[in-house]
Amino acid sequence: MAGTYDGIFLELLLKDADISAFDEVLAAARAAGEPAGRLAELEEERALALRLRERHLRHRRNEAELQLLNDTANDLASLRELDSILQAISDRARRLLECDLAYISLSDRGRGDSYIKAAAGNISGLLRELRLPVGSGIGGIVARTGEPYTVTSYLTDDSFTHTTEIDRTVAAERIESLLGVPVKLGQEVIGVLLAAHRSRRGFSSRDISVLVMLGAHAAVAIENARLLNAAQAAVAELRIANDTISSHMADLERTAEVHERLTRLVIQGKGVDEVAQATATSLGGTVVVLDEDGDIAARSRGQTTIPVDELRAIGSDARETGTTVVRGARCAVPLITESEALGAIVSAGTTPETRATDRRILERAALVASLVLVTRRRVAEAEARVRGELLSDLLTAHPKDHDLLRHRAALIDIDLDACRNVVVARVDDDPRDRIYASTAAFARRSHGLATIRRDTVILLLPGDDPMEVARTTARELSRTSRHPVTAGTARAADITGIPAAYREADECLRALIALDRTGEIADARGLGFVGALFSGRPAVASLIESVLGPVIAYDDGHRSDLVRTLDAYCRTGRHARNTARRLHLHVNTVTQRLARIGRLLGDDWREPERLLEIQVALRLLKVSNP
């Protein structure tokens, strides 16, 4: 019978039988009446078998835990986002400890406390993002001490600091027992991993060890995620930096190319029109160059139309501030030298916003345009000085100097035989340098000469009609001046008569000013007898013709007596009845003759100044024809 129970406990171990099966063998032996000694042996064998079974189960459980930890490590290693890592840690902690709830909190270095970031098994919405003050609750103790801490009944345990908000959350989650372990990176606690039961159950040393190991895995995973994020951010920054450098290099190359192109234009002697067009080609829009008065000096052939008022407004702002002004797709850069403002260059791009590169290109173009304008201005000033000195010498020339003056004029492409019209003009405007520059430029375009004396500008210009030449000159000066232009003119027969023509034109100008006829243009003939007196060489026939020519011509053609009627009218105090009595005519006849004279001389012939000229002309006519 004794052999019946031999090896039975080993068989049960092999079958992984339940503990009750081991108890049933011993009960069967007692029931079979086995001797006391044999029963004692069976009890020893049973105890040994149960110890072996417990050790085997523990090994299996450890193996399962290790496998689960290994799986956890692999899973954590495959995760990249911090939220996913923290959630996975909470899930694995709950599975490893077979607890009701597991969650993890992270330290907030900025605020000095911690907050719950992930949870598994929670039943309320209060747990997520719960703030844990320093030193409060189980998490606060673990974070402060860096050691595991466990309680069996959280709400009734007074060994730690409670807070209303934490206790309210614990009650909502129905937590009883709680275990917390640190999540440490080196010696720094970066978070706390917690496991909870909703019943009063203790946590074994094995539970603590497993949660500590999982916390270590969590620390590594969190740090790896942080390093990965940092590395990805660094790579992204490097990529952005590389793109920025590449873009910057491309911009520099583009700017350098435009600068080289603009510099080549300067070397080739091109003007601001070419600079504006080259700049517009690079920017892909329209470029306009404004002078110091806000007028358009040059414009590219772009398609974009910019209102003149808008051009002047943004150009004025750029000149006043002395800096680049950007308004959306509009950009203006002042044209400034060390001593003067030359205007502004304005671009209208094709994009809604002006890019920094486009702005730099426009600033380069402004420098080149300023250089072109200054160079042209200095050349023009030098040429104007040469031309002005030549004209000054012509006005005071001695006959023996005429050949030399002709030679000097030929060097600057001036034909003194064609330049016979002298215009002397006065413009009450400041700055006078600008007026003189405009006059010199006009004279150069007209193949003439210009200079300045005291408060007047003097021009020697070609043309057949001195009055038309004077009117054209006045119109040109009026474009620059803000005041009326008054001018006198005279025509020289040849080079020797230029000084006398200048004196006559100057006297005409001063006569206009004396007669309060500012803003008018006249020659000696247009001034009537006043002009004849000022000319220094009265031309009687010319004066008579200019004043009475239409009346004399009518008398010659119609055998009438209008001149004698006009003379009698003036001598009798401008009274028609007295005139009729003096001429032995009917008053109606005199009235008709006076009406005819009015149609010939104009409606203003009875005005005092005109009537004075008529009376002087009548006297001169009588003297010249006794």
Side-chain angles (χ1 to χ4, degrees), residues 47-73:
L48 180 60
L50 289 176
R51 286 199 300 274
L52 289 173
R53 179 180 180 277
E54 180 64 26
R55 180 173 295 180
H56 178 66
L57 290 175
R58 188 163 55 249
H59 282 303
R60 287 172 60 186
R61 186 165 53 248
N62 289 340
E63 182 181 352
E65 291 173 353
L66 289 174
Q67 182 61 43
L68 190 57
L69 287 173
N70 183 60
D71 294 342
T72 299

Side-chain angles (χ1 to χ4, degrees), residues 59-375:
H59 282 303
R60 287 172 60 186
R61 186 165 53 248
N62 289 340
E63 182 181 352
E65 291 173 353
L66 289 174
Q67 182 61 43
L68 190 57
L69 287 173
N70 183 60
D71 294 342
T72 299
N74 291 333
D75 291 344
L76 293 178
S78 65
L79 297 176
R80 295 293 181 267
E81 296 182 358
L82 182 59
D83 290 345
S84 300
I85 291 172
L86 298 179
Q87 189 59 50
I89 291 170
S90 301
D91 292 337
R92 292 304 170 91
R94 186 183 180 202
R95 290 175 56 189
L96 282 170
L97 270 67
E98 298 179 350
C99 58
D100 298 314
L101 173 65
Y103 55 97
I104 187 169
S105 66
L106 295 180
S107 300
D108 189 334
R109 296 178 181 177
R111 296 181 52 167
D113 59 359
S114 60
Y115 60 97
I116 296 175
K117 187 62 177 175
N122 54 309
I123 59 176
S124 75
L126 301 178
L127 196 61
R128 286 292 184 92
E129 304 297 337
L130 176 66
R131 306 296 304 195
L132 306 173
V134 177
S136 61
I138 299 301
I141 294 176
V142 175
R144 179 170 53 84
T145 63
E147 298 294 335
Y149 196 90
T150 181
V151 295
T152 304
S153 179
Y154 183 94
L155 293 176
T156 60
D157 195 320
D158 296 330
S159 63
F160 55 88
T161 303
H162 287 261
T163 67
T164 302
E165 187 175 4
I166 295 177
D167 287 354
R168 182 163 59 89
T169 303
V170 168
E173 291 289 342
R174 301 202 301 271
I175 295 174
E176 287 289 343
S177 303
L178 190 62
L179 167 64
V181 300
V183 178
K184 301 174 74 174
L185 189 61
Q187 297 300 315
E188 181 185 4
V189 178
I190 62 174
V192 177
L193 180 58
L194 301 104
H197 293 299
R198 292 193 172 94
S199 59
R200 293 190 180 185
R201 292 173 52 187
F203 291 94
S204 65
S205 59
R206 168 254 173 196
D207 293 334
I208 296 174
S209 298
V210 169
L211 204 59
V212 167
M213 291 180 64
L214 188 57
H217 282 298
V220 172
I222 292 172
E223 179 64 8
N224 287 341
R226 186 188 68 79
L227 293 175
L228 179 61
N229 290 336
Q232 290 174 338
V235 170
E237 290 177 359
L238 287 174
R239 185 178 296 109
I240 293 173
N242 182 62
D243 293 342
T244 302
I245 292 173
S246 299
S247 176
H248 185 59
M249 289 299 297
D251 290 343
L252 287 178
E253 291 176 359
R254 179 182 172 213
T255 304
E257 179 184 354
V258 174
H259 186 69
E260 181 181 355
R261 188 184 311 155
L262 295 175
T263 303
R264 194 180 304 116
L265 293 177
V266 176
I267 295 173
Q268 294 171 353
K270 302 297 184 180
V272 289
D273 292 297
E274 288 80 3
V275 172
Q277 186 59 47
T279 307
T281 301
S282 300
L283 298 180
T286 299
V287 174
V288 179
V289 178
L290 304 176
D291 61 18
E292 57 268 32
D293 296 321
D295 296 325
I296 297 177
R299 185 188 185 101
S300 68
R301 296 184 296 274
Q303 298 299 319
T304 304
T305 301
I306 312 176
V308 176
D309 292 341
E310 184 179 341
L311 276 175
R312 288 175 175 166
I314 192 171
S316 175
D317 291 344
R319 290 196 306 273
E320 290 177 1
T321 60
T323 57
T324 301
V325 176
V326 178
R327 292 174 185 162
R330 306 284 192 264
C331 182
V333 182
L335 306 180
I336 301 175
T337 65
E338 293 182 356
S339 59
E340 58 186 333
L342 304 175
I345 184 169
V346 183
S347 73
T350 56
T351 56
E353 296 293 333
T354 299
R355 297 180 300 176
T357 305
D358 294 343
R359 188 194 67 204
R360 287 193 294 270
I361 289 176
L362 194 65
E363 289 170 348
R364 295 286 183 92
L367 290 175
V368 174
S370 298
L371 176 60
V372 170
L373 290 174
V374 169
T375 302

